[in-house]
Amino acid sequence: MAITLVNPKGLPEIDAYRQVSIATGSKLVFVAGQVAWQADGVTVGEGDLAAQVEQCYVNVATALAGVGASFDDVAKLTVYVVDWTPDKMPLLMEGITRAAAKLGTAPVPPASLLGVAALDIPEHLVEIEATAVID
């Protein structure tokens, strides 16, 4: 495995992600921001942040699998949420939990969460991009 996830002493331990990843692989994989589209381009969960987060994680996993990688290879996630406010955190976490159950993994690499004014179309509430490292 090319990625080791660490919570260094002196930093808070966060359930949803680890503070640091150590990458030892030889190939970088950059996954474009994934939105809540199904393969046919239909948006999943219009108006439902948790459903869209779940679909985004599933789409990231699909993109990774397409190049022989998985969430175990992800060194960093960036999550963009439209009109982010802290009261949306339970919905974000619900979507991550549902995706983890569906995928059979706990996607906990270091992550950044950014609030944005809008994404590509009004129906999309969240977008997730990933950087992975594989051998």
Side-chain angles (χ1 to χ4, degrees), residues 18-39:
R18 301 301 175 261
Q19 296 284 0
V20 176
S21 65
I22 302 165
T24 58
S26 59
K27 295 180 186 176
L28 292 174
V29 177
F30 300 95
V31 177
Q34 296 298 303
V35 293
W37 273 332
Q38 295 175 337

Side-chain angles (χ1 to χ4, degrees), residues 90-111:
L91 293 172
L92 179 76
M93 296 308 298
E94 178 185 336
I96 293 170
T97 299
R98 288 174 14 192
K102 184 178 278 185
L103 298 170
T105 186
V108 293

Side-chain angles (χ1 to χ4, degrees), residues 62-113:
T62 300
L64 291 167
V67 296
S70 72
F71 265 103
D72 290 339
D73 302 304
V74 174
K76 175 79 167 63
L77 290 174
T78 304
V79 180
Y80 304 91
V81 180
V82 174
D83 296 326
W84 174 258
T85 55
D87 64 311
K88 293 180 180 178
M89 185 61 80
L91 293 172
L92 179 76
M93 296 308 298
E94 178 185 336
I96 293 170
T97 299
R98 288 174 14 192
K102 184 178 278 185
L103 298 170
T105 186
V108 293
S112 295
L113 172 63

Side-chain angles (χ1 to χ4, degrees), residues 4-22 108 110:
T4 302
L5 301 176
V6 180
N7 272 325
K9 187 176 179 179
L11 294 176
E13 289 191 26
I14 309 295
D15 289 339
Y17 63 90
R18 301 301 175 261
Q19 296 284 0
V20 176
S21 65
I22 302 165
V108 293

